Amino acid sequence: MDCDIEKCKSHCCHNCAVLTEGEVSILISNVRKKYLIVLEPRKYFKKVKGELGTYYAIKMIKGQCIFLDKQNRCRIYMCRPTLCELYPVIDIDKVDERCPMANMLPMEMLSGLKRRYAQEIDVNIKAEQTFLFV
Ligand code: SF4
Ligand code: SF4
């Protein structure tokens, strides 16, 4: 996507992505391989609970994702969670209107992101309404 982060200040990174335990392990392993950075789980992830299970949210610092750098860029971009990859799609048929790109994406691309959301996001995470930090 052709994002103008000067304009949006990477709004998408001011929410915390929720992952399953398996997705956290894959992310940690990928970051170690791609960036040679060893992520200590307790430093970067926080447990959250929904009605259907327990998951992990990426920690936030001062209202933004711990992986966002001072230039508003993702420090683990190549390994970012699927939920981050699919943004501005935030549900099977919903986009986050706060993203300046939300209504500018070609229909084909948007459909592809929605399809991936339906197929790739954990079935329980998709169904949860709210998450509580535990
Ligand atoms: S992991 Fe990267 S892309 Fe995802 S919210 Fe954090 S900084 Fe943004
Ligand atoms: S996806 Fe949207 S909110 Fe995120 S950086 Fe791009 S334009 Fe900004």
Side-chain angles (χ1 to χ4, degrees):
M1 264 193 302
D2 202 7
C3 301
D4 180 357
I5 59 172
E6 291 302 320
K7 193 169 156 198
C8 70
K9 306 286 180 220
S10 297
H11 174 78
C12 47
C13 305
H14 293 235
N15 297 310
C16 50
V18 173
L19 298 89
T20 62
E21 191 169 10
E23 288 169 335
V24 171
S25 302
I26 291 169
L27 188 151
I28 289 173
S29 162
N30 288 344
V31 169
R32 192 173 54 234
K33 285 183 208 148
K34 289 261 183 208
Y35 293 95
L36 306 178
I37 297 172
V38 178
L39 299 176
E40 204 279 295
R42 272 178 300 183
K43 183 172 171 195
Y44 292 93
F45 302 93
K46 210 167 165 37
K47 262 190 185 176
V48 291
K49 206 168 163 35
E51 287 189 345
L52 304 170
T54 302
Y55 316 94
Y56 293 83
I58 295 180
K59 280 193 182 173
M60 309 275 283
I61 295 179
K62 294 183 183 165
Q64 64 179 40
C65 177
I66 194 167
F67 293 118
L68 201 64
D69 70 13
K70 286 194 169 74
Q71 286 74 44
N72 284 317
R73 293 188 183 280
C74 178
R75 290 190 288 130
I76 58 159
Y77 190 76
M78 287 186 288
C79 311
R80 67 200 187 285
T82 310
L83 277 173
C84 302
E85 269 187 64
L86 301 183
Y87 191 88
V89 168
I90 52 170
D91 209 335
I92 289 171
D93 202 15
K94 192 173 174 191
V95 294
D96 189 344
E97 301 285 344
R98 293 169 297 180
C99 166
M101 296 293 288
N103 295 309
M104 294 167 66
L105 297 177
M107 200 52 83
E108 201 175 308
M109 185 179 179
L110 200 54
S111 306
L113 292 175
K114 286 179 179 174
R115 203 165 37 246
R116 281 190 60 198
Y117 191 100
Q119 290 168 353
E120 296 177 29
I121 300 302
D122 178 79
V123 67
N124 286 348
I125 289 179
K126 271 197 299 240
E128 296 286 8
Q129 299 297 318
T130 49
F131 296 102
L132 291 175
F133 289 107
V134 289

